Amino acid sequence: AKGNAALLEREAHSFLGSCGNIGASRMAEICARLEVLGRSGSTEGAVELARTLEDELAELRPQLEALPGRHPKRAGVLPSRS
């Protein structure tokens, strides 16, 4: 969040909800930690947590992409990127 603790808190909170909605509990836990960090007024350690979050997403991505009916791009809801 580029040094902005309030932005970190807001973005982490938003992504936490999304992760919870899809059952990505480890990602949600990391988002919760980022949210608390931002709420405390700090961003110290956020980069490391964000990297861990990216690693979790990389692990989860194949499972998400295997759900064509739930993926808006594959369900025809979103246009494909060129």
Side-chain angles (χ1 to χ4, degrees):
K2 298 187 180 189
N4 186 328
L7 179 60
L8 175 63
E9 178 185 2
R10 283 192 308 273
E11 295 297 323
H13 177 80
S14 177
F15 199 45
L16 169 63
S18 297
C19 292
N21 286 339
I22 64 169
S25 58
R26 289 188 303 204
M27 290 178 66
E29 180 182 316
I30 296 165
C31 289
R33 292 171 61 192
L34 285 164
E35 182 181 9
V36 168
L37 186 65
R39 189 176 302 127
S40 75
S42 175
T43 59
E44 188 174 336
V47 171
E48 293 80 7
L49 286 170
R51 285 187 187 126
T52 303
L53 190 59
E54 288 175 345
D55 292 344
E56 288 294 328
L57 178 58
E59 275 188 46
L60 187 59
R61 184 179 304 273
Q63 296 168 3
L64 293 173
E65 290 178 348
L67 302 170
R70 300 190 186 271
H71 190 284
K73 189 173 180 181
R74 287 180 179 71
V77 176
L78 298 177
S80 297
R81 288 187 182 173
S82 301

